[in-house]
Amino acid sequence: MRRLKECNTVEFPPVPVCHECGGMETEWVDMDGDGELLAFPFSPMGITNFTKEPVVSGFAKLKEGMYYCAVIENMKPEEQPALLERLKKETVKVELVVTALNEKYNFPYFRLLG
């Protein structure tokens, strides 16, 4: 991801001009992938062009301040009610990991922690 040198704002995806300060001087920074789950939409159609199996995605705020959406690793649709109850009671931590989807493509997933 890109961070603006002037105001330290993280931009993802990278943009040519910062939405906060209007600056254009940026640097590449690594994100560690730790975050907090905010919501989890369900897609009965799977991941277009890769699988037709239903998937549960996670919408999370990463510790670097950006929001990211990715499929929740190994999450079955029938497990959603239990995850919803957990989310109502506590902060659900996630880790963004990149997994080989096949020989040609890598795919980002959220791994639930705790």
Side-chain angles (χ1 to χ4, degrees), residues 49-108:
N49 297 329
F50 296 105
T51 178
K52 294 189 185 308
E53 297 296 317
V55 295
V56 178
S57 295
F59 183 71
K61 183 174 183 180
L62 300 183
K63 92 175 184 185
E64 291 85 4
M66 62 184 259
Y67 295 92
Y68 199 86
C69 187
V71 172
I72 298 176
E73 184 179 49
N74 300 320
M75 181 87 182
K76 295 176 180 64
E78 59 270 16
E79 296 172 329
Q80 290 179 95
L83 181 57
L84 179 59
E85 289 306 311
R86 181 177 167 200
L87 194 56
K88 288 178 183 178
K89 295 176 185 172
E90 63 186 69
T91 299
V92 177
K93 299 290 186 178
V94 295
E95 172 186 34
L96 183 64
V97 294
V98 178
T99 304
L101 195 56
N102 56 37
E103 292 178 5
K104 190 174 178 180
Y105 296 103
N106 292 325
F107 202 80

Short mmCIF file of all heavy atoms in Angstrom, two decimals, residues 49-108:
data_model
loop_
_atom_site.label_atom_id
_atom_site.label_comp_id
_atom_site.label_asym_id
_atom_site.label_seq_id
_atom_site.Cartn_x
_atom_site.Cartn_y
_atom_site.Cartn_z
N ASN A 49 -15.15 -16.63 -11.65
CA ASN A 49 -14.07 -17.23 -12.46
C ASN A 49 -13.19 -18.24 -11.72
O ASN A 49 -12.30 -18.81 -12.32
CB ASN A 49 -13.17 -16.16 -13.08
CG ASN A 49 -13.90 -15.26 -14.05
OD1 ASN A 49 -14.86 -15.69 -14.70
ND2 ASN A 49 -13.48 -14.03 -14.15
N PHE A 50 -13.42 -18.45 -10.41
CA PHE A 50 -12.57 -19.38 -9.68
C PHE A 50 -13.35 -20.52 -9.02
O PHE A 50 -12.89 -21.64 -8.98
CB PHE A 50 -11.74 -18.64 -8.64
CG PHE A 50 -10.78 -17.67 -9.24
CD1 PHE A 50 -11.01 -16.31 -9.21
CD2 PHE A 50 -9.64 -18.12 -9.90
CE1 PHE A 50 -10.13 -15.41 -9.78
CE2 PHE A 50 -8.76 -17.24 -10.48
CZ PHE A 50 -9.00 -15.88 -10.43
N THR A 51 -14.50 -20.22 -8.44
CA THR A 51 -15.28 -21.25 -7.77
C THR A 51 -16.74 -20.85 -7.77
O THR A 51 -17.07 -19.68 -7.73
CB THR A 51 -14.80 -21.49 -6.33
OG1 THR A 51 -15.63 -22.48 -5.74
CG2 THR A 51 -14.87 -20.25 -5.49
N LYS A 52 -17.60 -21.84 -7.81
CA LYS A 52 -19.04 -21.58 -7.73
C LYS A 52 -19.58 -21.90 -6.33
O LYS A 52 -20.75 -21.76 -6.06
CB LYS A 52 -19.78 -22.39 -8.79
CG LYS A 52 -19.43 -21.95 -10.20
CD LYS A 52 -20.32 -22.60 -11.22
CE LYS A 52 -19.94 -22.30 -12.63
NZ LYS A 52 -19.76 -20.95 -13.01
N GLU A 53 -18.69 -22.33 -5.43
CA GLU A 53 -19.07 -22.63 -4.06
C GLU A 53 -19.41 -21.33 -3.32
O GLU A 53 -18.71 -20.33 -3.47
CB GLU A 53 -17.95 -23.34 -3.32
CG GLU A 53 -17.59 -24.69 -3.89
CD GLU A 53 -18.71 -25.69 -3.78
OE1 GLU A 53 -19.36 -25.76 -2.72
OE2 GLU A 53 -18.97 -26.39 -4.77
N PRO A 54 -20.46 -21.34 -2.50
CA PRO A 54 -20.79 -20.13 -1.71
C PRO A 54 -19.64 -19.74 -0.79
O PRO A 54 -18.91 -20.61 -0.29
CB PRO A 54 -22.00 -20.57 -0.88
CG PRO A 54 -22.53 -21.78 -1.55
CD PRO A 54 -21.38 -22.44 -2.24
N VAL A 55 -19.47 -18.44 -0.58
CA VAL A 55 -18.41 -17.96 0.31
C VAL A 55 -18.96 -16.89 1.25
O VAL A 55 -19.92 -16.21 0.94
CB VAL A 55 -17.20 -17.38 -0.46
CG1 VAL A 55 -16.50 -18.44 -1.28
CG2 VAL A 55 -17.61 -16.21 -1.34
N VAL A 56 -18.33 -16.79 2.40
CA VAL A 56 -18.62 -15.72 3.36
C VAL A 56 -17.40 -14.81 3.35
O VAL A 56 -16.27 -15.26 3.53
CB VAL A 56 -18.85 -16.28 4.77
CG1 VAL A 56 -19.10 -15.15 5.75
CG2 VAL A 56 -20.02 -17.27 4.77
N SER A 57 -17.63 -13.54 3.09
CA SER A 57 -16.54 -12.57 3.07
C SER A 57 -16.53 -11.81 4.40
O SER A 57 -17.50 -11.82 5.14
CB SER A 57 -16.73 -11.57 1.93
OG SER A 57 -16.63 -12.23 0.69
N GLY A 58 -15.43 -11.16 4.66
CA GLY A 58 -15.32 -10.31 5.84
C GLY A 58 -14.97 -8.90 5.43
O GLY A 58 -14.16 -8.69 4.52
N PHE A 59 -15.59 -7.94 6.08
CA PHE A 59 -15.26 -6.53 5.88
C PHE A 59 -14.59 -6.10 7.18
O PHE A 59 -15.19 -6.18 8.25
CB PHE A 59 -16.53 -5.72 5.60
CG PHE A 59 -16.28 -4.28 5.33
CD1 PHE A 59 -15.69 -3.88 4.14
CD2 PHE A 59 -16.62 -3.32 6.25
CE1 PHE A 59 -15.45 -2.55 3.87
CE2 PHE A 59 -16.39 -1.97 6.00
CZ PHE A 59 -15.80 -1.59 4.80
N ALA A 60 -13.33 -5.68 7.08
CA ALA A 60 -12.57 -5.39 8.29
C ALA A 60 -11.82 -4.07 8.18
O ALA A 60 -11.51 -3.61 7.09
CB ALA A 60 -11.57 -6.51 8.56
N LYS A 61 -11.53 -3.51 9.34
CA LYS A 61 -10.64 -2.34 9.41
C LYS A 61 -9.28 -2.86 9.86
O LYS A 61 -9.15 -3.44 10.94
CB LYS A 61 -11.17 -1.30 10.39
CG LYS A 61 -10.30 -0.06 10.41
CD LYS A 61 -10.90 1.03 11.26
CE LYS A 61 -10.03 2.28 11.19
NZ LYS A 61 -10.58 3.36 12.02
N LEU A 62 -8.29 -2.66 9.01
CA LEU A 62 -6.94 -3.11 9.35
C LEU A 62 -6.26 -2.09 10.24
O LEU A 62 -6.63 -0.91 10.28
CB LEU A 62 -6.13 -3.33 8.07
CG LEU A 62 -6.71 -4.37 7.12
CD1 LEU A 62 -5.80 -4.56 5.91
CD2 LEU A 62 -6.94 -5.70 7.81
N LYS A 63 -5.28 -2.53 10.98
CA LYS A 63 -4.66 -1.66 11.98
C LYS A 63 -3.97 -0.45 11.36
O LYS A 63 -3.81 0.57 12.02
CB LYS A 63 -3.73 -2.45 12.89
CG LYS A 63 -2.31 -2.54 12.50
CD LYS A 63 -1.54 -3.25 13.60
CE LYS A 63 -0.07 -3.26 13.26
NZ LYS A 63 0.71 -4.02 14.19
N GLU A 64 -3.64 -0.53 10.07
CA GLU A 64 -3.06 0.62 9.39
C GLU A 64 -4.11 1.69 9.07
O GLU A 64 -3.77 2.77 8.62
CB GLU A 64 -2.39 0.18 8.08
CG GLU A 64 -1.15 -0.66 8.27
CD GLU A 64 -1.42 -2.14 8.46
OE1 GLU A 64 -2.59 -2.58 8.37
OE2 GLU A 64 -0.45 -2.88 8.71
N GLY A 65 -5.39 1.38 9.33
CA GLY A 65 -6.45 2.36 9.15
C GLY A 65 -7.31 2.17 7.93
O GLY A 65 -8.32 2.84 7.76
N MET A 66 -6.93 1.28 7.04
CA MET A 66 -7.71 1.07 5.83
C MET A 66 -8.77 -0.01 6.03
O MET A 66 -8.65 -0.85 6.92
CB MET A 66 -6.80 0.69 4.67
CG MET A 66 -6.06 -0.61 4.90
SD MET A 66 -4.90 -0.99 3.60
CE MET A 66 -5.82 -2.18 2.70
N TYR A 67 -9.79 0.03 5.21
CA TYR A 67 -10.85 -0.98 5.22
C TYR A 67 -10.58 -1.95 4.09
O TYR A 67 -10.14 -1.55 3.01
CB TYR A 67 -12.22 -0.33 5.06
CG TYR A 67 -12.58 0.55 6.22
CD1 TYR A 67 -12.28 1.91 6.22
CD2 TYR A 67 -13.20 0.01 7.35
CE1 TYR A 67 -12.59 2.71 7.30
CE2 TYR A 67 -13.51 0.81 8.44
CZ TYR A 67 -13.20 2.16 8.40
OH TYR A 67 -13.51 2.95 9.48
N TYR A 68 -10.86 -3.23 4.31
CA TYR A 68 -10.56 -4.26 3.32
C TYR A 68 -11.63 -5.33 3.39
O TYR A 68 -12.14 -5.65 4.46
CB TYR A 68 -9.17 -4.87 3.61
CG TYR A 68 -8.57 -5.59 2.45
CD1 TYR A 68 -7.83 -4.89 1.49
CD2 TYR A 68 -8.74 -6.95 2.28
CE1 TYR A 68 -7.27 -5.55 0.42
CE2 TYR A 68 -8.18 -7.61 1.21
CZ TYR A 68 -7.45 -6.91 0.28
OH TYR A 68 -6.90 -7.56 -0.79
N CYS A 69 -11.96 -5.88 2.24
CA CYS A 69 -12.93 -6.97 2.17
C CYS A 69 -12.27 -8.18 1.52
O CYS A 69 -11.61 -8.04 0.48
CB CYS A 69 -14.14 -6.53 1.34
SG CYS A 69 -15.48 -7.74 1.36
N ALA A 70 -12.41 -9.33 2.15
CA ALA A 70 -11.84 -10.57 1.63
C ALA A 70 -12.68 -11.74 2.12
O ALA A 70 -13.39 -11.64 3.12
CB ALA A 70 -10.39 -10.73 2.09
N VAL A 71 -12.57 -12.85 1.42
CA VAL A 71 -13.26 -14.07 1.83
C VAL A 71 -12.69 -14.53 3.17
O VAL A 71 -11.49 -14.44 3.41
CB VAL A 71 -13.07 -15.17 0.76
CG1 VAL A 71 -13.60 -16.51 1.23
CG2 VAL A 71 -13.74 -14.75 -0.54
N ILE A 72 -13.56 -15.01 4.06
CA ILE A 72 -13.12 -15.57 5.34
C ILE A 72 -12.72 -17.02 5.09
O ILE A 72 -13.52 -17.82 4.60
CB ILE A 72 -14.21 -15.48 6.42
CG1 ILE A 72 -14.56 -14.01 6.68
CG2 ILE A 72 -13.74 -16.15 7.70
CD1 ILE A 72 -15.70 -13.81 7.66
N GLU A 73 -11.50 -17.34 5.44
CA GLU A 73 -10.93 -18.66 5.19
C GLU A 73 -11.73 -19.78 5.88
O GLU A 73 -12.02 -19.70 7.07
CB GLU A 73 -9.49 -18.67 5.71
CG GLU A 73 -8.73 -19.94 5.45
CD GLU A 73 -7.31 -19.85 5.97
OE1 GLU A 73 -7.13 -19.44 7.15
OE2 GLU A 73 -6.40 -20.17 5.22
N ASN A 74 -12.11 -20.77 5.09
CA ASN A 74 -12.79 -21.98 5.58
C ASN A 74 -14.11 -21.73 6.29
O ASN A 74 -14.56 -22.56 7.09
CB ASN A 74 -11.88 -22.80 6.50
CG ASN A 74 -10.62 -23.24 5.80
OD1 ASN A 74 -10.64 -23.62 4.64
ND2 ASN A 74 -9.50 -23.17 6.50
N MET A 75 -14.75 -20.62 6.02
CA MET A 75 -16.03 -20.28 6.68
C MET A 75 -17.18 -20.84 5.86
O MET A 75 -17.31 -20.56 4.68
CB MET A 75 -16.16 -18.76 6.77
CG MET A 75 -17.41 -18.29 7.43
SD MET A 75 -17.14 -18.23 9.20
CE MET A 75 -18.72 -17.72 9.73
N LYS A 76 -18.01 -21.62 6.51
CA LYS A 76 -19.18 -22.19 5.85
C LYS A 76 -20.39 -21.29 6.10
O LYS A 76 -20.51 -20.68 7.17
CB LYS A 76 -19.44 -23.59 6.39
CG LYS A 76 -18.34 -24.57 6.06
CD LYS A 76 -18.61 -25.91 6.69
CE LYS A 76 -17.55 -26.91 6.38
NZ LYS A 76 -16.24 -26.60 6.91
N PRO A 77 -21.28 -21.18 5.11
CA PRO A 77 -22.46 -20.32 5.27
C PRO A 77 -23.26 -20.62 6.54
O PRO A 77 -23.76 -19.71 7.19
CB PRO A 77 -23.28 -20.58 4.01
CG PRO A 77 -22.25 -20.96 2.99
CD PRO A 77 -21.21 -21.74 3.76
N GLU A 78 -23.35 -21.88 6.92
CA GLU A 78 -24.14 -22.24 8.10
C GLU A 78 -23.48 -21.82 9.42
O GLU A 78 -24.10 -21.88 10.49
CB GLU A 78 -24.45 -23.75 8.12
CG GLU A 78 -23.25 -24.65 8.14
CD GLU A 78 -22.74 -25.06 6.75
OE1 GLU A 78 -23.11 -24.43 5.74
OE2 GLU A 78 -21.96 -26.02 6.69
N GLU A 79 -22.23 -21.36 9.36
CA GLU A 79 -21.53 -20.89 10.56
C GLU A 79 -21.77 -19.39 10.82
O GLU A 79 -21.31 -18.86 11.84
CB GLU A 79 -20.03 -21.14 10.42
CG GLU A 79 -19.69 -22.62 10.35
CD GLU A 79 -18.23 -22.89 10.02
OE1 GLU A 79 -17.61 -22.08 9.30
OE2 GLU A 79 -17.72 -23.92 10.48
N GLN A 80 -22.48 -18.72 9.92
CA GLN A 80 -22.72 -17.28 10.06
C GLN A 80 -23.46 -16.89 11.34
O GLN A 80 -23.08 -15.91 11.98
CB GLN A 80 -23.49 -16.76 8.85
CG GLN A 80 -22.66 -16.74 7.58
CD GLN A 80 -23.48 -16.22 6.42
OE1 GLN A 80 -23.41 -15.04 6.13
NE2 GLN A 80 -24.25 -17.09 5.80
N PRO A 81 -24.52 -17.61 11.76
CA PRO A 81 -25.20 -17.20 12.99
C PRO A 81 -24.28 -17.18 14.22
O PRO A 81 -24.35 -16.26 15.03
CB PRO A 81 -26.32 -18.24 13.15
CG PRO A 81 -26.59 -18.69 11.74
CD PRO A 81 -25.24 -18.70 11.08
N ALA A 82 -23.40 -18.16 14.33
CA ALA A 82 -22.48 -18.20 15.47
C ALA A 82 -21.49 -17.04 15.40
O ALA A 82 -21.16 -16.43 16.43
CB ALA A 82 -21.74 -19.53 15.51
N LEU A 83 -21.03 -16.72 14.19
CA LEU A 83 -20.11 -15.59 14.05
C LEU A 83 -20.81 -14.28 14.39
O LEU A 83 -20.23 -13.41 15.03
CB LEU A 83 -19.53 -15.55 12.63
CG LEU A 83 -18.53 -14.42 12.35
CD1 LEU A 83 -17.36 -14.44 13.33
CD2 LEU A 83 -18.04 -14.49 10.92
N LEU A 84 -22.06 -14.15 14.00
CA LEU A 84 -22.82 -12.94 14.32
C LEU A 84 -22.96 -12.77 15.83
O LEU A 84 -22.76 -11.67 16.37
CB LEU A 84 -24.20 -12.97 13.67
CG LEU A 84 -25.10 -11.77 13.96
CD1 LEU A 84 -24.44 -10.47 13.51
CD2 LEU A 84 -26.45 -11.95 13.29
N GLU A 85 -23.27 -13.83 16.53
CA GLU A 85 -23.38 -13.77 18.00
C GLU A 85 -22.05 -13.39 18.63
O GLU A 85 -22.00 -12.59 19.56
CB GLU A 85 -23.90 -15.09 18.57
CG GLU A 85 -25.37 -15.34 18.26
CD GLU A 85 -26.27 -14.18 18.69
OE1 GLU A 85 -26.14 -13.72 19.85
OE2 GLU A 85 -27.07 -13.73 17.86
N ARG A 86 -20.97 -13.95 18.11
CA ARG A 86 -19.63 -13.62 18.62
C ARG A 86 -19.32 -12.14 18.38
O ARG A 86 -18.81 -11.46 19.27
CB ARG A 86 -18.60 -14.51 17.94
CG ARG A 86 -17.20 -14.28 18.40
CD ARG A 86 -16.22 -15.22 17.74
NE ARG A 86 -14.87 -14.77 17.98
CZ ARG A 86 -13.82 -15.13 17.27
NH1 ARG A 86 -13.96 -15.98 16.28
NH2 ARG A 86 -12.63 -14.66 17.56
N LEU A 87 -19.66 -11.64 17.19
CA LEU A 87 -19.39 -10.25 16.84
C LEU A 87 -20.20 -9.28 17.71
O LEU A 87 -19.73 -8.19 18.02
CB LEU A 87 -19.70 -10.04 15.36
CG LEU A 87 -19.21 -8.77 14.69
CD1 LEU A 87 -17.71 -8.61 14.85
CD2 LEU A 87 -19.59 -8.76 13.22
N LYS A 88 -21.40 -9.70 18.13
CA LYS A 88 -22.22 -8.87 19.02
C LYS A 88 -21.61 -8.75 20.41
O LYS A 88 -21.79 -7.75 21.09
CB LYS A 88 -23.62 -9.46 19.15
CG LYS A 88 -24.48 -9.30 17.93
CD LYS A 88 -25.83 -9.95 18.17
CE LYS A 88 -26.73 -9.93 16.96
NZ LYS A 88 -28.01 -10.62 17.23
N LYS A 89 -20.86 -9.78 20.84
CA LYS A 89 -20.33 -9.84 22.20
C LYS A 89 -18.90 -9.34 22.34
O LYS A 89 -18.50 -8.92 23.42
CB LYS A 89 -20.38 -11.28 22.70
CG LYS A 89 -21.78 -11.83 22.85
CD LYS A 89 -21.73 -13.28 23.26
CE LYS A 89 -23.14 -13.87 23.28
NZ LYS A 89 -23.13 -15.31 23.50
N GLU A 90 -18.12 -9.44 21.28
CA GLU A 90 -16.69 -9.16 21.40
C GLU A 90 -16.11 -8.65 20.09
O GLU A 90 -16.71 -8.79 19.03
CB GLU A 90 -15.93 -10.41 21.84
CG GLU A 90 -16.00 -11.54 20.82
CD GLU A 90 -15.37 -12.83 21.29
OE1 GLU A 90 -15.92 -13.46 22.20
OE2 GLU A 90 -14.32 -13.20 20.72
N THR A 91 -14.92 -8.11 20.19
CA THR A 91 -14.16 -7.73 19.00
C THR A 91 -13.60 -8.99 18.38
O THR A 91 -12.97 -9.80 19.06
CB THR A 91 -13.01 -6.78 19.37
OG1 THR A 91 -13.57 -5.60 19.96
CG2 THR A 91 -12.19 -6.41 18.16
N VAL A 92 -13.86 -9.18 17.09
CA VAL A 92 -13.35 -10.36 16.39
C VAL A 92 -12.14 -9.93 15.58
O VAL A 92 -12.25 -9.12 14.65
CB VAL A 92 -14.43 -10.98 15.48
CG1 VAL A 92 -13.87 -12.16 14.71
CG2 VAL A 92 -15.65 -11.39 16.31
N LYS A 93 -10.99 -10.45 15.95
CA LYS A 93 -9.74 -10.12 15.28
C LYS A 93 -9.57 -11.01 14.04
O LYS A 93 -9.96 -12.18 14.04
CB LYS A 93 -8.54 -10.33 16.21
CG LYS A 93 -8.58 -9.46 17.45
CD LYS A 93 -8.34 -8.02 17.11
CE LYS A 93 -8.25 -7.18 18.37
NZ LYS A 93 -7.98 -5.80 18.09
N VAL A 94 -8.98 -10.41 13.00
CA VAL A 94 -8.69 -11.14 11.77
C VAL A 94 -7.25 -10.89 11.35
O VAL A 94 -6.62 -9.92 11.77
CB VAL A 94 -9.63 -10.74 10.61
CG1 VAL A 94 -11.06 -11.12 10.90
CG2 VAL A 94 -9.51 -9.26 10.28
N GLU A 95 -6.76 -11.79 10.51
CA GLU A 95 -5.44 -11.64 9.92
C GLU A 95 -5.61 -11.82 8.42
O GLU A 95 -6.24 -12.78 7.97
CB GLU A 95 -4.50 -12.72 10.48
CG GLU A 95 -3.17 -12.79 9.81
CD GLU A 95 -2.35 -13.97 10.30
OE1 GLU A 95 -2.92 -15.03 10.62
OE2 GLU A 95 -1.13 -13.82 10.34
N LEU A 96 -5.09 -10.91 7.63
CA LEU A 96 -5.16 -11.00 6.19
C LEU A 96 -3.98 -11.85 5.72
O LEU A 96 -2.83 -11.56 6.02
CB LEU A 96 -5.08 -9.60 5.55
CG LEU A 96 -5.21 -9.53 4.04
CD1 LEU A 96 -6.58 -10.01 3.57
CD2 LEU A 96 -4.97 -8.11 3.56
N VAL A 97 -4.30 -12.93 5.02
CA VAL A 97 -3.27 -13.82 4.49
C VAL A 97 -3.49 -13.98 2.99
O VAL A 97 -4.62 -13.87 2.50
CB VAL A 97 -3.29 -15.20 5.18
CG1 VAL A 97 -2.90 -15.10 6.62
CG2 VAL A 97 -4.64 -15.88 5.04
N VAL A 98 -2.42 -14.23 2.28
CA VAL A 98 -2.52 -14.45 0.84
C VAL A 98 -2.21 -15.91 0.58
O VAL A 98 -1.19 -16.43 1.03
CB VAL A 98 -1.55 -13.54 0.06
CG1 VAL A 98 -1.63 -13.82 -1.43
CG2 VAL A 98 -1.87 -12.08 0.35
N THR A 99 -3.13 -16.59 -0.12
CA THR A 99 -3.03 -18.02 -0.37
C THR A 99 -3.04 -18.26 -1.87
O THR A 99 -3.74 -17.56 -2.60
CB THR A 99 -4.23 -18.75 0.28
OG1 THR A 99 -4.26 -18.42 1.67
CG2 THR A 99 -4.13 -20.24 0.12
N ALA A 100 -2.30 -19.26 -2.31
CA ALA A 100 -2.34 -19.64 -3.73
C ALA A 100 -3.70 -20.25 -4.04
O ALA A 100 -4.10 -21.24 -3.43
CB ALA A 100 -1.22 -20.62 -4.04
N LEU A 101 -4.41 -19.62 -4.96
CA LEU A 101 -5.71 -20.14 -5.38
C LEU A 101 -5.52 -21.26 -6.39
O LEU A 101 -6.25 -22.25 -6.39
CB LEU A 101 -6.54 -19.00 -5.98
CG LEU A 101 -8.01 -19.23 -6.16
CD1 LEU A 101 -8.69 -19.61 -4.85
CD2 LEU A 101 -8.67 -17.99 -6.73
N ASN A 102 -4.54 -21.11 -7.23
CA ASN A 102 -4.12 -22.13 -8.18
C ASN A 102 -2.70 -21.78 -8.60
O ASN A 102 -2.07 -20.93 -7.99
CB ASN A 102 -5.10 -22.22 -9.37
CG ASN A 102 -5.29 -20.90 -10.09
OD1 ASN A 102 -4.35 -20.12 -10.24
ND2 ASN A 102 -6.50 -20.62 -10.52
N GLU A 103 -2.19 -22.42 -9.65
CA GLU A 103 -0.80 -22.17 -10.06
C GLU A 103 -0.57 -20.74 -10.55
O GLU A 103 0.54 -20.23 -10.49
CB GLU A 103 -0.39 -23.15 -11.15
CG GLU A 103 -0.28 -24.58 -10.68
CD GLU A 103 0.08 -25.53 -11.80
OE1 GLU A 103 0.33 -25.07 -12.93
OE2 GLU A 103 0.10 -26.73 -11.54
N LYS A 104 -1.62 -20.09 -11.02
CA LYS A 104 -1.47 -18.77 -11.63
C LYS A 104 -1.84 -17.61 -10.70
O LYS A 104 -1.29 -16.52 -10.82
CB LYS A 104 -2.35 -18.73 -12.88
CG LYS A 104 -2.13 -17.53 -13.75
CD LYS A 104 -2.93 -17.65 -15.04
CE LYS A 104 -2.75 -16.43 -15.91
NZ LYS A 104 -3.49 -16.50 -17.15
N TYR A 105 -2.79 -17.82 -9.78
CA TYR A 105 -3.33 -16.72 -9.00
C TYR A 105 -3.17 -16.92 -7.50
O TYR A 105 -3.38 -18.02 -6.98
CB TYR A 105 -4.83 -16.54 -9.29
CG TYR A 105 -5.11 -16.15 -10.71
CD1 TYR A 105 -5.59 -17.08 -11.62
CD2 TYR A 105 -4.91 -14.85 -11.15
CE1 TYR A 105 -5.85 -16.73 -12.94
CE2 TYR A 105 -5.17 -14.48 -12.46
CZ TYR A 105 -5.63 -15.43 -13.35
OH TYR A 105 -5.89 -15.08 -14.64
N ASN A 106 -2.87 -15.82 -6.81
CA ASN A 106 -2.90 -15.76 -5.36
C ASN A 106 -4.16 -15.02 -4.97
O ASN A 106 -4.66 -14.19 -5.72
CB ASN A 106 -1.68 -15.05 -4.80
CG ASN A 106 -0.42 -15.83 -5.02
OD1 ASN A 106 -0.42 -17.05 -4.97
ND2 ASN A 106 0.66 -15.15 -5.27
N PHE A 107 -4.67 -15.30 -3.78
CA PHE A 107 -5.94 -14.70 -3.37
C PHE A 107 -5.87 -14.32 -1.90
O PHE A 107 -5.41 -15.11 -1.07
CB PHE A 107 -7.08 -15.72 -3.59
CG PHE A 107 -8.42 -15.09 -3.70
CD1 PHE A 107 -8.85 -14.50 -4.89
CD2 PHE A 107 -9.27 -15.07 -2.62
CE1 PHE A 107 -10.09 -13.92 -4.99
CE2 PHE A 107 -10.53 -14.49 -2.71
CZ PHE A 107 -10.93 -13.91 -3.90
N PRO A 108 -6.33 -13.10 -1.55
CA PRO A 108 -6.32 -12.70 -0.14
C PRO A 108 -7.52 -13.29 0.62
O PRO A 108 -8.62 -13.34 0.08
CB PRO A 108 -6.43 -11.18 -0.21
CG PRO A 108 -7.15 -10.92 -1.49
CD PRO A 108 -6.77 -12.02 -2.42
#
